[in-house]
Amino acid sequence: MTGVPEAATGTRTAPEPHLPIDAIRPPRPGRWVAAAVAVLAMVWLLYTIIVNENLHWDVIAEYLTDGRILGGLWVTIQLTVLSMVIGLALGILAAVMQLSGSPVLRAASGLYTWFFRGTPLLVQLIFWFNIGLVFPSFGIGVPFDGPKLIEWQANELITPFTAALLGLAINEGAYMAEIVRAGIRSVDPGQREAAEALGMTHRQVLRRVVLPQAMRVIIPPTGNQFISMLKTTSMVSVIAGAELLTVSQRIYLGNFEVIAMLIVASVWYIVLTTIASVGQHFIEKRFERGHHALRTRVRRNLRPFGKGSV
Amino acid sequence: MAAAVTESASARPMVRIRSVRKCFGPVEVLKGISLDVPVGGVVCVVGPSGSGKSTLLRCVNRLETIDSGRIWVDGDLIGYAEKDERLHHLRPSQLCAQRQDIGMVFQRFHLFPHRTALENVMEGPVVVKGVPKAAARRRAMELLDRVGLSGRAGHYPSQLSGGQQQRVAIARSLAMDPKLMLFDEPTSALDPELVQEVLAVMRDLAASGMTMMVVTHEMGFAREVGDNLVFIDGGVIVEQGDPRQVLANPANDRFRAFLGQVL
Ligand SMILES: Nc1ncnc2c1ncn2[C@@H]1O[C@H](COP(=O)(O)OP(=O)(O)O)[C@@H](O)[C@H]1O
Ligand SMILES: [Mg+2]
């Protein structure tokens, strides 16, 4: 009972006493040691890189803004954006088919994701590039060998760029289908019922109620897919896709600056992925409309023991 | 002549349910329900959990299909068109048109979480009826005012209490100018002190002449507002009548036992 004021009983008369909290934190030596080790390791790593004579910093600086590199950069951006947009559209289509009542549509969608997730992307890219060996020409007209309105030769149609786009987009669609499906599943079925009770059609329910809410679940993994796609486009170098890695390789085959050119490419990849991460953050925020509690949830779940609110 | 027409129109019930049966798999949940709700009438449906009350309401606006029987709302057969002595399934667009006239309020509100209170109320008229945004906003503000929430128009559902969410949900249904309102245990998910604010809105609505089917455990509300009290147990209507009378003198043993539990 030392110094603890008596709790007032009955109706309060005296004002509550002020009891300041001026507590001393327990020491954390482990934390300081870990930080010191980490700083030391980073400084040493940086030092060995900077003084290394085999890394030609002047060459790296010179080629960073080389016209051919910038051209490759532009192709990488185009391939990424186009494959993600087409992939997302294919993914939504496949997911909606998967969740539809028709067993035929479900099977078609299942077959698509099964096949394209089950074979390596590298194989698919080479396959699309060589599609002319299977189908020498494409046409629009009557199916099953009927007369054709227009016809193209595969050799003209399938450039490295179109083959890359086909491979990346169709493959991406198979993964996006799973992501979109998980997003749609996450929406409370009561939402659909409330919308239907207002008289909305199937499409209106999907567009106005289900998909916007599914987006909250779809966007974070889609952002990851986008960032991953920025780097996956480098696989296109096997069919000479003229993107960042391909042009870097072409340059080092001429000047033998292998490491320098790989660093040039890596710098640009990191710039692109960093920009994409920042964009992802803002888009995620946009789709968290109405879910204020979610924003702090990660922080709250990971808060160290003993810390008060925020 | 004109008098006869109006008389037959007013004699026609808003809801006519005849011999409705509904199975989920092998389980028959509704075992032949027949019920009329007159225009402007308030029917309160009570019964133990799992007796089929929600299913009955959901059949009325075709969130569930029925296995046999007929349901008419304002003279329209729900879900089917009768032609040449045969029933034809309605097309999805026709079902949507039927649902527009029937408002539904759910136990767990089901407001759209990504839209503000105002946007929730505007959603139906704008999307379904194509009402211009400005007009829909004006009307939505009126409705929010009517349920006492004009000060909360810009709030998201997650920022509202349960009672406020349910009142927004009622406004959202009213925005479609329904002929009939279905309430499925609208106060069962609410903290006790929030129940009355929702019941007050429903009381006003009943007084304004809205036809209502209300599944509820609030016997006070049923006694005061209801024109007819229906006790459902095991998928059949066991007892029904004027709420004041049946609540004072329940004839059926199961109904008496049920009342002993909820009162
Ligand atoms: N979609 C469904 N699928 C299968 N069984 C269901 C479904 N909906 C309701 N049921 C069953 O039907 C019975 C009646 O349910 P419900 O109408 O919700 O009862 P109440 O609203 O009176 O509590 C319950 O036994 C419930 O388990
Ligand atoms: Mg129920």
Side-chain angles (χ1 to χ4, degrees), chain A residues 190-228:
Chain A
Q191 289 290 311
R192 146 170 240 116
E193 292 190 343
E196 282 180 348
L198 287 176
M200 285 195 202
T201 63
H202 188 72
R203 281 185 53 165
Q204 287 167 338
V205 173
L206 207 59
R207 201 169 49 81
R208 300 286 308 184
V209 177
V210 175
L211 281 181
Q213 291 182 62
M215 276 303 173
R216 212 163 40 77
V217 173
I218 291 173
I219 290 224
T222 303
N224 292 344
Q225 292 292 109
F226 187 91
I227 288 167
S228 172

Side-chain angles (χ1 to χ4, degrees), chain B residues 9-24:
Chain B
S10 64
R12 184 176 77 195
M14 178 58 80
V15 184
R16 170 173 288 175
I17 299 171
R18 285 293 174 273
S19 312
V20 164
R21 289 170 182 275
K22 169 70 187 174
C23 299
F24 287 114

Side-chain angles (χ1 to χ4, degrees), chain B residues 24 29 47-56 64 184-185 215:
Chain B
F24 287 114
V29 174
S49 174
S51 56
K53 308 178 299 289
S54 298
T55 307
L56 177 64
E64 303 284 359
D184 190 1
E185 302 200 29
V215 174

Side-chain angles (χ1 to χ4, degrees), chain B residues 38 43 50 54 67 89-90 120 142 166 175 189 197 201 204 207 233 242:
Chain B
V43 168
S54 298
D67 295 315
H89 282 278
L90 289 186
N120 263 279
E142 279 169 29
Q166 192 61 295
E197 65 186 50
V201 168
D204 284 351
D233 190 14
D242 181 274

